[in-house]
Amino acid sequence: MTDQSPRPESDIPGKSTAASRTTLSHIMTGSDTNLLGTVHGGVIMKLVDDAAGAVAGRHSGGPAVTASMDEMVFLEPVRVGDLVHVRAQVNWTGRSSMEVGVRVMAERWNESTPAQQVGSAYLVFTAVDADGRPRPVPPVIPETERDRRRYQEAQIRRTHRLARRRAIRELREKRAAEGIED
């Protein structure tokens, strides 16, 4: 399969999707609960960020920082005693940024029933050097049809993020030009 990165001039060798894929597992305890008695969404979000950060660091070969989180979706509540598996992989890469897709699965720690999907998210990470400046990342090489679909969907999400950012900036500039203060 050829490199599908938008940077054909890059001299950094590409890495397969599988090269940095990882799973983080954690048993939920009473200290993880919210006032409703289920696991707090923030606890799940931290696990998501931790797993995605590990994948981004592994793919880029060094430090990477969270730039944004898109579409954190909670599908089912997570309960005390659930064994949560957070599966993450790089879906897309730019010059210094990477989209990491995350799937959150949960199963009862003491049962042999299959895990069910309880959440998902997409995060964008920027690889940084020792001074905190963006640094180049290897292109991701999607290996399977599923990986290629995820790569294409990530490009759509990126286009939407950039369009939204541009539209908001233009609206703020227009309001400022009209003398409207926020």
Side-chain angles (χ1 to χ4, degrees):
M1 150 125 210
T2 61
D3 177 8
Q4 294 185 17
S5 170
R7 310 167 303 150
E9 73 285 349
S10 174
D11 58 353
I12 301 173
K15 289 186 177 180
S16 70
T17 304
S20 58
R21 188 179 291 142
T22 194
T23 300
L24 173 70
S25 297
H26 188 77
I27 294 178
M28 299 292 107
T29 66
S31 64
D32 298 319
T33 60
N34 58 28
L35 296 174
L36 298 175
T38 57
V39 172
H40 195 286
V43 170
I44 301 298
M45 290 174 76
K46 182 181 184 323
L47 293 172
V48 164
D49 192 43
D50 288 347
V55 166
R58 289 170 79 174
H59 182 83
S60 68
V65 296
T66 311
S68 69
M69 178 183 272
D70 286 353
E71 300 178 33
M72 180 70 216
V73 177
F74 298 98
L75 302 169
E76 297 288 336
V78 176
R79 302 170 292 161
V80 170
D82 281 354
L83 177 57
V84 172
H85 308 285
V86 184
R87 298 178 180 149
Q89 75 171 46
V90 173
N91 289 335
W92 174 90
T93 54
R95 285 184 301 275
S96 62
S97 63
M98 302 155 275
E99 183 196 87
V100 178
V102 181
R103 176 172 289 165
V104 183
M105 308 292 289
E107 61 182 299
R108 295 306 292 168
W109 69 274
N110 59 349
E111 297 175 6
S112 60
T113 56
Q116 70 172 7
Q117 185 174 353
V118 296
S120 65
Y122 300 100
L123 297 87
V124 177
F125 281 80
T126 301
V128 294
D129 63 18
D131 297 319
R133 290 188 301 260
R135 62 181 174 78
V137 299
V140 67
I141 302 170
E143 300 171 292
T144 66
E145 280 307 313
R146 178 179 285 175
D147 292 340
R148 286 186 278 282
R149 175 187 52 81
R150 288 177 177 162
Y151 185 94
Q152 292 169 332
E153 290 172 357
Q155 289 177 306
I156 293 168
R157 282 187 292 275
R158 180 177 186 274
T159 299
H160 286 232
R161 270 192 304 277
L162 294 175
R164 182 177 59 238
R165 186 180 307 152
R166 186 174 47 254
I168 290 170
R169 184 183 68 243
E170 289 170 359
L171 176 63
R172 288 180 179 172
E173 289 170 357
K174 179 179 181 252
R175 290 175 59 85
E178 294 171 352
I180 302 170
E181 293 186 33
D182 289 332

